[in-house]
């Protein structure tokens, strides 16, 4: 029997014993092959351990709520066939309404008109507070652990 140690260099460049074990008396080529297999096995274990680690401080938990975009739905004159409303790229206030169409709270969009709001599971409607003509969208069914995609409509009243 022969004792062996697998060594590596630490961050401060000092040799460190990673694993120590006893090998049966083998020819040199057999020992090298066995050491190579052991090294690959240990490397696989380290890789699996590192890739399975999550930094709980930076990993977001699944959010329950609504995310979306505000769109400008007013056009001068008749609405052309196939017209798609453009995103309203400015900060707006989104009113979140419950299933009875009662306002429960507000959230601001970013400068591109995008928003995200965390909600309890349930049915919700959305309205843009700055809209000249109240235009609700919904209902949006929010389920646990899911972000529902939604649109909110800004209508400046121009026809």
């Amino acid at each position: 029997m022969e004792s062996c140690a697998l060594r590596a260099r630490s961050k401060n460049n000092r040799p460190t014993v990673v694993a120590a074990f006893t090998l049966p008396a083998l020819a040199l080529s057999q020992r090298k092959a066995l050491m190579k297999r052991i090294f690959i096995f240990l490397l696989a274990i380290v890789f699996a351990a590192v890739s399975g680690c999550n930094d709980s401080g930076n990993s977001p938990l699944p959010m329950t709520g609504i995310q979306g975009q505000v769109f400008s739905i007013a056009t001068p004159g008749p609405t052309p066939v196939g017209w798609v409303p453009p995103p309203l790229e400015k900060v707006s206030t989104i009113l979140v309404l419950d299933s009875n169409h009662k306002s429960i709270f507000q959230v601001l969009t970013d400068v591109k008109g995008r928003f995200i709001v965390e909600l309890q599971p349930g049915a919700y409607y959305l309205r843009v507070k700055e809209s000249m003509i109240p235009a609700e969208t919904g209902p949006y069914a929010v389920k646990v652990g899911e972000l529902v995609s939604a649109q909110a409509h800004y209508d400046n009243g121009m026809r």
Side-chain angles (χ1 to χ4, degrees):
M1 294 288 208
E2 183 178 332
S3 295
C4 294
L6 184 59
R7 298 181 190 278
R9 296 251 177 219
S10 63
K11 288 182 182 178
N12 59 6
N13 209 21
R14 292 187 179 158
T16 304
V17 175
V18 176
F21 43 89
T22 304
L23 293 174
L26 299 171
L28 183 60
S29 62
Q30 290 175 321
R31 277 189 278 166
K32 283 184 179 180
L34 184 57
M35 290 291 286
K36 184 177 178 181
R37 279 189 249 144
I38 291 171
F39 177 75
I40 291 171
F41 174 74
L42 290 173
L43 192 61
I45 289 174
V46 168
F47 178 75
V50 170
S51 65
C53 292
N54 283 331
D55 182 2
S56 61
N58 294 332
S59 299
L61 297 174
M63 184 184 269
T64 299
I66 298 175
Q67 67 179 352
Q69 172 76 50
V70 177
F71 290 91
S72 178
I73 61 169
T75 61
T79 303
V81 175
W83 179 76
V84 176
L88 182 70
E89 294 189 350
K90 71 176 202 173
V91 175
S92 303
T93 307
I94 303 295
L95 299 175
V96 180
L97 312 172
D98 65 12
S99 59
N100 297 318
H101 301 269
K102 186 176 177 181
S103 179
I104 54 174
F105 71 90
Q106 304 174 24
V107 63
L108 288 176
T109 67
D110 65 10
V111 295
K112 296 283 191 179
R114 297 175 299 223
F115 61 92
I116 186 165
V117 57
E118 191 168 0
L119 297 166
Q120 295 295 320
Y124 298 93
Y125 294 86
L126 302 175
R127 183 185 310 150
V128 179
K129 185 177 183 179
E130 294 82 5
S131 186
M132 302 298 170
I133 299 173
E136 291 179 8
T137 59
Y140 298 104
V142 175
K143 297 177 184 168
V144 174
E146 292 182 11
L147 271 177
V148 177
S149 292
Q151 292 184 3
H153 293 161
Y154 172 80
D155 190 343
N156 64 7
M158 183 185 287
R159 299 288 184 260

